[in-house]
């Protein structure tokens, strides 16, 4: 067999040959200031002053993102031919499930309507808007064949805080937090404005309306994907206790921390031997859209962590849902605070339900179990999902990578990198 010498290029580490082995990774570099930088201030002007010029500038930025994401995904398709696979999966009834990273979905401050504390922790909604438009325009996939889903740690907490800010107990749903608007209330992530952009940029001859599904979000009206034939739905992937048919426990091939994991059927689909369940929950093509950030435990959070931690539901009970003994979250209250019931460390502590502190044995030593740590936790849920025949695409928002803090506590520092990356392999 003839040996083909690789192309040699100059790099910061010297002259090296291009590596054409392994999984393809596509990369584009753009000007951050022409992308989503400045959108929070523009959106504030649009909301507070009804400034039409501000909205025009936002749309120009998303158009810019769309152009570069087209270059990115076109290059990935040349190497992987993923477009053909996606279209064939959608023809079977599966929906595109866009999974952003919304650790603290408080991009839009509820009082000022400017940039919220959670903004640096979240995938930017303009990035997702451009990405959804690409799949619609380039692959001819209807907006009704798309969904948004997330299991963020503080979505339920934000919904409670927002609801309590009203006299009379007006309810802001978790889905409305993701939308960023509930009637005349603004606060949350901002998907409503992604809908608005998509509605204003798709061809008038198309009958799919990306605004359909918004009313269901603010009303908290749940529809399985198979019943939402004329809507772009938002799904709270955390809340499984309220409708038993939402959840399915799936095996973990060669699992380390888990042998089985309970997930939302929007992700893994319905029971395979139940035709009606499969019609209601046909499964998905998972579009993983993380934001590149540092992480206190895992060094960085990106494609692996956004699904490796982000798919675990917080509000699914081990036994009786009314007992609130959550499988993957703690404390065992109506609104759990963190996904601390999934191992983040090798030595995993048992917690005292009475005081929320680690338990000690009679000898005073902590009650701990040795696990595979956070790496195994992430690998287990990814393997479980792939085992359900879920095709994944990973598109990374690294236009403004985040340093210092990933938690959405206002201390994260956004660093202009101008990058977007894509691969079919989350590790790559």
């Amino acid at each position: 067999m003839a040996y083909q010498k690789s192309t040699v290029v100059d790099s910061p580490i010297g002259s090296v040959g291009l590596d054409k082995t392994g999984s393809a990774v596509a990369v584009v570099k753009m000007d951050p200031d022409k992308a989503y930088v400045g959108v929070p201030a523009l959106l504030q002007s649009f909301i507070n002053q009804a400034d039409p010029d501000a909205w025009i500038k936002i749309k120009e930025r998303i158009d810019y993102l769309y152009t570069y994401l087209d270059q990115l995904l076109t290059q990935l398709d040349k190497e992987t031919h993923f477009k053909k696979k996606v279209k064939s999966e959608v023809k079977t009834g599966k929906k595109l499930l866009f999974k952003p990273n919304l650790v603290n979905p408080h991009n839009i401050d509820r009082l000022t309507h400017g940039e919220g504390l959670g903004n640096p922790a979240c995938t930017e909604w303009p990035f997702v808007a451009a990405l959804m438009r690409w799949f619609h325009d380039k692959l001819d996939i209807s907006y009704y064949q798309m969904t948004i889903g997330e299991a963020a740690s503080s979505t339920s907490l934000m919904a409670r805080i927002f609801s309590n800010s009203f006299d009379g107990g007006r309810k802001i749903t978790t889905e409305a937090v993701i939308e960023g608007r509930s009637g005349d209330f603004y606060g949350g992530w901002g998907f409503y404005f992604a809908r608005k952009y998509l509605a204003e940029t798709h061809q008038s001859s198309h009958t799919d309306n990306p605004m359909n599904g918004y009313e269901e979000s603010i009303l908290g009206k749940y529809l399985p994907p198979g019943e939402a034939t004329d809507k772009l739905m938002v799904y709270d992937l955390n809340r499984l206790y309220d409708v038993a048919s939402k959840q399915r426990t799936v095996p973990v091939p060669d699992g380390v921390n888990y042998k089985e994991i309970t997930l939302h059927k929007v992700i893994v689909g319905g029971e395979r031997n139940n035709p009606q369940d499969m019609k209601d929950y046909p499964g998905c093509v998972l579009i993983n859209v993380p934001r590149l950030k540092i992480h206190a435990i895992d060094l960085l959070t990106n494609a692996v962590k956004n699904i490796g931690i982000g798919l675990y539901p917080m509000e699914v009970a081990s036994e009786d849902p009314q007992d609130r003994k959550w499988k993957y979250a703690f404390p065992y209250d109506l609104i759990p605070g963190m996904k601390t019931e999934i191992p983040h460390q090798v030595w995993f502590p048992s917690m005292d339900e009475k005081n929320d502190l680690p338990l000690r044995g009679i000898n005073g030593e902590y009650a701990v179990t040795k696990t595979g740590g956070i790496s195994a936790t992430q690998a287990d849920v990814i393997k479980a999902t792939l085992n359900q025949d879920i095709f994944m695409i990973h598109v990374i928002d690294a236009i403004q990578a985040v340093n210092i803090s990933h938690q959405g506590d206002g201390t994260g520092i956004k660093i202009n990198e101008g990058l977007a990356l894509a691969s079919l392999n989350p590790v790559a």
Side-chain angles (χ1 to χ4, degrees):
M1 184 174 70
Y3 173 75
Q4 185 176 1
K5 189 175 181 180
S6 65
T7 303
V8 176
V9 297
D10 291 328
S11 80
I13 60 172
S15 296
V16 295
L18 291 178
D19 179 9
K20 293 188 177 181
T21 62
S23 301
V25 178
V27 184
V28 293
K29 187 170 179 63
M30 64 191 87
D31 184 344
D33 291 324
K34 293 180 180 179
Y36 56 60
V37 174
V39 165
L42 291 169
L43 186 62
Q44 184 181 36
S45 295
F46 177 68
I47 295 172
N48 290 350
Q49 282 83 46
D51 182 357
D53 290 337
W55 180 248
I56 290 172
K57 290 177 182 177
I58 291 173
K59 290 177 65 176
E60 288 173 349
R61 282 165 164 75
I62 305 176
D63 288 345
Y64 180 83
L65 285 165
Y66 172 78
T67 299
Y68 276 85
L69 289 180
D70 181 35
Q71 295 178 28
L72 176 76
L73 295 171
T74 297
Q75 289 301 315
L76 181 65
D77 185 62
K78 287 182 179 179
E79 295 290 333
T80 65
H81 309 292
F82 77 89
K83 290 196 289 187
K84 183 178 179 181
K85 173 68 173 176
V86 171
K87 293 176 79 169
S88 68
E89 292 283 278
V90 171
K91 283 183 179 179
T92 69
K94 291 185 177 182
K95 294 202 174 187
L96 303 189
L97 172 59
F98 292 82
K99 169 41 177 96
N101 187 345
L102 308 182
V103 174
N104 179 4
H106 196 191
N107 280 38
I108 303 169
D109 185 87
R110 68 182 179 89
L111 298 176
T112 68
H113 305 145
E115 182 175 316
L117 289 177
N119 177 273
C122 298
T123 308
E124 296 279 358
W125 66 262
F127 189 93
V128 175
L131 185 61
M132 295 181 81
R133 180 186 170 190
W134 186 87
F135 278 93
H136 177 273
D137 290 2
K138 301 300 181 180
L139 274 67
D140 195 29
I141 295 175
S142 165
Y143 289 123
Y144 301 155
Q145 295 169 309
M146 302 181 190
T147 62
I148 284 276
E150 172 60 316
S153 298
S154 59
T155 309
S156 293
L157 177 61
M158 287 294 103
R160 173 63 65 86
I161 292 172
F162 292 167
S163 297
N164 287 347
S165 67
F166 291 101
D167 293 332
R170 175 178 172 183
K171 183 178 181 181
I172 304 297
T173 67
T174 52
E175 294 84 1
V177 171
I178 295 173
E179 296 279 3
R181 179 183 179 183
S182 181
D184 59 357
F185 172 81
Y186 294 89
W189 183 47
F191 186 62
Y192 168 84
F193 297 99
R195 291 183 186 272
K196 178 177 170 61
Y197 168 81
L198 296 173
E200 294 178 8
T201 53
H202 86 319
Q203 297 178 15
S204 58
S205 60
H206 291 193
T207 58
D208 54 334
N209 181 358
M211 299 303 296
N212 287 359
Y214 169 67
E215 288 296 322
E216 282 70 17
S217 288
I218 63 174
L219 294 174
K221 182 179 179 181
Y222 180 77
L223 290 175
E227 292 185 17
T229 56
D230 61 348
K231 295 174 177 62
L232 194 174
M233 295 291 291
V234 170
Y235 289 105
D236 178 355
L237 301 180
N238 273 324
R239 194 176 64 246
L240 301 187
Y241 72 90
D242 59 336
V243 180
S245 61
K246 286 181 180 179
Q247 60 184 268
R248 187 159 73 90
T249 300
V250 298
V252 182
D254 302 315
V256 175
N257 289 346
Y258 294 101
K259 301 305 178 185
E260 60 181 26
I261 298 173
T262 302
L263 295 170
H264 203 305
K265 286 183 187 175
V266 167
I267 306 166
V268 295
E271 298 288 350
R272 298 299 190 263
N273 60 355
N274 185 330
Q276 183 58 51
D277 203 34
M278 285 300 299
K279 183 178 179 181
D280 288 340
Y281 295 96
C284 75
V285 174
L286 185 56
I287 314 295
N288 181 23
V289 198
R291 184 170 191 162
L292 181 61
K293 302 176 289 184
I294 63 93
H295 189 265
I297 300 172
D298 219 20
L299 299 185
L300 63 86
T301 169
N302 198 18
V304 171
K305 190 169 183 298
N306 191 42
I307 51 177
I309 300 295
L311 293 184
Y312 284 96
M314 296 181 73
E315 297 166 27
V316 57
S318 299
E319 299 170 2
D320 182 0
Q322 300 307 315
D323 288 343
R324 310 284 189 239
K325 190 166 185 179
W326 309 122
K327 285 186 176 183
Y328 311 118
F330 194 82
Y332 301 142
D333 296 329
L334 180 61
I335 300 177
M338 296 291 289
K339 298 183 182 183
T340 47
E341 290 297 278
I342 57 176
H344 283 64
Q345 60 269 48
V346 174
W347 292 103
F348 183 67
S350 298
M351 302 297 288
D352 189 332
E353 298 179 32
K354 296 179 180 179
N355 56 25
D356 298 346
L357 295 174
L359 283 170
R360 293 176 183 263
I362 56 175
N363 58 0
E365 294 183 354
Y366 288 110
V368 294
T369 303
K370 190 173 184 179
T371 73
I374 195 171
S375 297
T377 293
Q378 295 176 87
D380 283 354
V381 75
I382 293 172
K383 288 189 293 185
T385 305
L386 290 171
N387 190 51
Q388 298 303 308
D389 192 30
I390 304 302
F391 183 63
M392 299 184 185
I393 305 168
H394 313 275
V395 186
I396 316 305
D397 173 6
I399 295 170
Q400 282 190 309
V402 178
N403 202 355
I404 307 300
S405 173
H406 70 281
Q407 295 177 318
D409 56 6
T411 62
I413 304 298
K414 294 182 283 189
I415 308 297
N416 285 2
E417 295 290 352
L419 296 174
L421 308 90
S423 180
L424 303 186
N425 184 328
V427 179

